[in-house]
Amino acid sequence: MSKPTILTVDDDPMVSAAITRDLRDRYAADYRVVRAASGPQALEVLATLALRGTPVALICSDQRMPRMTGIELLEQARVHAPGAKCLLLTAYADTEVAIKAINDIGLDYYLLKPWDPPEQRLYPVVDGLLDDWRQANPDHTSDVRVVGHRWSDRSYEIKTFLARNHVPYAWFDVVLDAEAQRLCALANATPDDLPLVLVPDGDALRSPSTLELAEALGLRTAAAQPLYDLCIVGGGPAGLAAAVYAASEGLSTVVIEREAPGGQAGQSAAIENYLGFPKGLTGADLTHRAVAQASRFGAEMVLARSVVGFETRGPVHAAMLDGGGEIEARALVMATGVSYRRLAADGLEQLTGRGVYYGAMASDAAQCQGDDVYIVGAANSAGQAAINLAAFAKRVVLVVRAANLTDSMSRYLIERITAAPNIEVRYRSEVKACKGAGHLETLALMNRDSGEVEEVSSSWLFIFIGASPRTDWLGADIVRDDHGFVVTGQDLHRPGLAASWPLPREPLALETSVPGVFAAGDVRLDSMKRVASAVGEGAMSVYLVHRYLAMI
């Protein structure tokens, strides 16, 4: 297969030669760098590349060109190279136009000229864009293959685990795909063996657990050493931020994650209000970057393992793992986040994983092509899911118990939902029942004011209805409120809490009722339930861990 292409577009011969030279110096080994002198010429080049089947990874265009501006070119380029990353070179006077293009045409980045020195100004930007492109366009020759039923809850769990851990895979429906039937025959697989997971250079896995799958993929499922300075339970934004700051400051650090890094944020199709990313980024992208950053500083990540309890042994805390084993550390940060609250509706439990899902991966949208999709929820997570699903679904219906969205959802999301022609909001409504033979087929929706019930046809229901903290594994020594959220710092002195602080000193800000055990992110009482605040608390927890370790 030919190298992917980087296309530069500029009408100034000297600038065109300079940007092409700098890009070739850095990327020529992996990419073919091609130059065009105008927007129309660039469109001709893109058309030729499309006919040849040559992928285009990046289009780097000047804004001010005669006949066609850079933004006009990048908008039309989507026809021939829909997956290409778009970089606009601008003068300072054009920054407002460039920012507007982020929303209007999906511009990925704009860079002010001149870009010298390229090692500091150009290459870091292009490196990030090309990394994102490669992640979205992997080499599929070594993909994991998954064979199963479309409406199987176990198949959905396996696919979700692979997607959230950034493992490329190919999906084969045993009912629809002849290749799936051939693979089952080759493996002598029975219906009870599904989902069948075929790992390159490995044995066929028959309905594997996530732990078995993780081990077969070579993911780390056990700690490398018995004692650490810091053990972080949970790999969401708070846990990953704590890992980055702890490892970068020299603390031996391990993160234990029961599913995949990212938490609920990792499933978000778009996080658009996170500082420093004007175009926004997906939860998967944020997670991928954070994991790479933590790993770079030396933090370990133990996956597919649940912590089922902990013990305090003098100056050391031990996290007890499901299936046996433990990890000891001098300090512990709980960053287990929250899970979506379960919806009470007749027939729903039997159909969970078979058309009914809690949360939604960005990758779930494509399988809803041309269908009617229903979403329960009114917070930002539900709004982002609606926008993402609407790009593929025929119609998306938000089922909202309240009379409006303004009390629970950010304004920018409400504006986009209102503007989308195929998104409908049903206020003062709730799901009363789910029905289907083997998978979801119909929903019963009730109007909360009139009590009237309407039955609608749909194979898809995604649920985003609030948060329940993941603290069931904690013992009685960790004080929680009536809803299970962990109490920290001065809140331990709140009236009505059965809290006892065992030391003469006051508890540190994020410290729990057990000295040396901290809580950060959504699991903590009165946290903001936002990605940025979780990252901030994760970073802050490491500062407090340093203070604690200096005391013992």
Side-chain angles (χ1 to χ4, degrees):
M1 183 177 179
S2 60
K3 293 179 181 179
T5 296
I6 296 174
L7 174 63
T8 69
V9 191
D10 201 303
D11 65 303
D12 185 318
M14 293 184 63
V15 176
S16 177
I19 187 66
T20 302
R21 178 200 64 226
D22 287 344
L23 290 174
R24 283 178 178 162
D25 286 347
R26 176 88 165 196
Y27 305 106
D30 299 310
Y31 297 88
R32 178 172 173 244
V33 182
V34 177
R35 57 193 284 194
S38 68
Q41 184 182 5
L43 292 176
E44 292 178 3
V45 171
L46 290 171
T48 300
L49 294 173
L51 286 173
R52 294 174 180 171
T54 302
V56 178
L58 175 69
I59 304 172
C60 177
S61 175
D62 183 44
Q63 166 61 4
R64 295 194 177 189
M65 296 186 294
R67 298 176 58 192
M68 182 181 293
T69 67
I71 291 175
E72 291 170 341
L73 161 64
L74 294 175
E75 183 175 21
Q76 295 184 43
R78 296 294 189 195
V79 175
H80 301 304
K85 295 296 178 180
C86 295
L87 173 62
L88 189 70
L89 299 178
T90 69
Y92 181 79
D94 295 324
T95 53
E96 288 189 10
V97 175
I99 292 171
K100 187 173 183 295
I102 292 173
N103 288 328
D104 292 347
I105 68 166
L107 178 67
D108 292 293
Y109 209 94
Y110 68 91
L111 187 65
L112 297 180
K113 296 188 297 184
W115 57 85
D116 291 326
E119 291 78 11
Q120 296 180 17
R121 301 196 57 204
L122 176 65
Y123 295 153
V125 172
V126 176
D127 284 349
L129 293 174
L130 293 178
D131 284 346
D132 291 346
W133 183 85
R134 281 194 297 268
Q135 184 180 337
N137 299 270
D139 175 9
H140 290 283
T141 57
S142 60
D143 280 1
V144 171
R145 291 171 292 172
V146 181
V147 182
H149 292 281
R150 181 189 190 192
W151 302 117
S152 161
D153 53 346
R154 286 291 300 126
S155 293
Y156 184 78
E157 289 173 13
I158 292 295
K159 291 189 292 181
T160 299
F161 179 83
L162 292 171
R164 294 189 62 192
N165 282 285
H166 306 281
V167 177
Y169 71 91
W171 164 251
F172 300 93
D173 190 311
V174 74
V175 175
L176 303 177
D177 299 329
E179 179 64 8
Q181 297 160 18
R182 187 184 75 86
L183 292 172
C184 284
L186 289 173
N188 293 318
T190 68
D192 290 339
D193 292 330
L194 300 180
L196 185 70
V197 182
L198 304 174
V199 180
D201 302 321
D203 295 332
L205 304 177
R206 301 168 191 271
S207 191
S209 67
T210 52
L211 178 58
E212 291 169 337
L213 178 58
E215 291 174 341
L217 293 170
L219 302 178
R220 185 184 293 274
T221 59
Q225 58 192 65
L227 177 65
Y228 295 83
D229 293 322
L230 177 62
C231 175
I232 302 164
V233 183
L240 291 173
V244 168
Y245 280 88
S248 69
E249 294 170 10
L251 296 179
S252 59
T253 304
V254 63
V255 181
I256 309 172
E257 170 54 49
R258 69 172 191 167
E259 295 174 352
Q264 281 192 6
Q267 301 181 56
S268 178
I271 302 171
E272 299 189 63
N273 54 1
Y274 192 69
L275 183 66
F277 292 86
K279 191 193 174 192
L281 75 170
T282 67
D285 189 19
L286 177 63
T287 300
H288 182 70
R289 293 169 185 262
V291 169
Q293 196 171 17
S295 299
R296 173 192 164 206
F297 289 123
E300 290 183 28
M301 188 78 62
V302 174
L303 299 174
R305 300 298 299 272
S306 294
V307 177
V308 295
F310 83 96
E311 295 178 358
T312 297
R313 303 167 180 170
V316 169
H317 305 285
M320 320 302 292
L321 304 178
D322 62 326
E326 61 183 41
I327 298 174
E328 290 188 333
R330 296 197 294 153
L332 186 71
V333 170
M334 294 185 299
T336 48
V338 295
S339 56
Y340 289 113
R341 194 173 298 127
R342 312 305 280 184
L343 178 66
D346 293 341
L348 185 142
E349 286 300 319
Q350 298 91 319
L351 296 172
T352 299
R354 295 176 169 87
V356 176
Y357 307 100
Y358 287 89
M361 290 287 294
S363 57
D364 290 335
Q367 63 183 333
C368 302
Q369 182 80 45
D371 293 341
D372 285 350
V373 175
Y374 285 76
I375 298 174
V376 178
N380 281 6
S381 54
Q384 287 288 6
I387 293 167
N388 181 48
L389 291 163
F392 294 88
K394 176 183 177 183
R395 185 172 64 119
V396 174
V397 181
L398 268 174
V399 181
V400 178
R401 290 170 61 90
N404 61 67
L405 292 173
T406 55
D407 295 336
S408 56
M409 189 179 293
S410 296
R411 186 182 68 178
Y412 76 94
L413 285 173
I414 296 174
E415 291 174 349
R416 293 181 64 185
I417 287 170
T418 303
N422 62 333
I423 299 180
E424 172 188 337
V425 183
R426 295 184 61 146
Y427 296 106
R428 300 292 297 161
S429 298
E430 60 183 271
V431 175
K432 295 298 292 181
C434 302
K435 299 178 183 178
H439 66 88
L440 179 66
E441 295 176 326
T442 62
L443 299 169
L445 305 180
M446 186 185 78
N447 183 293
R448 302 189 71 205
D449 295 323
S450 66
E452 180 181 350
V453 176
E454 177 187 0
E455 190 169 279
V456 297
S457 297
S458 179
S459 296
W460 306 99
L461 176 65
F462 296 95
I463 302 168
F464 303 81
I465 56 168
S468 297
R470 292 176 174 172
T471 56
D472 54 334
W473 58 279
L474 295 174
D477 291 340
I478 298 292
V479 174
R480 287 155 281 173
D481 73 350
D482 293 340
H483 300 288
F485 290 95
V486 177
V487 182
T488 58
Q490 291 303 307
D491 285 337
L492 289 167
H493 299 316
R494 279 189 184 183
L497 285 175
S500 59
W501 177 249
L503 299 180
R505 68 169 175 85
E506 286 294 295
L508 299 173
L510 301 180
E511 199 167 17
T512 70
S513 51
V514 175
V517 178
F518 299 82
D522 292 358
V523 74
R524 195 180 64 81
L525 177 65
D526 289 341
S527 62
M528 284 181 59
K529 309 297 185 291
R530 289 289 186 268
V531 173
S533 63
V535 169
E537 288 191 9
M540 179 181 174
S541 71
V542 174
Y543 165 73
L544 299 173
V545 165
H546 278 294
R547 290 181 58 185
Y548 166 76
L549 293 177
M551 298 176 190
I552 62 174

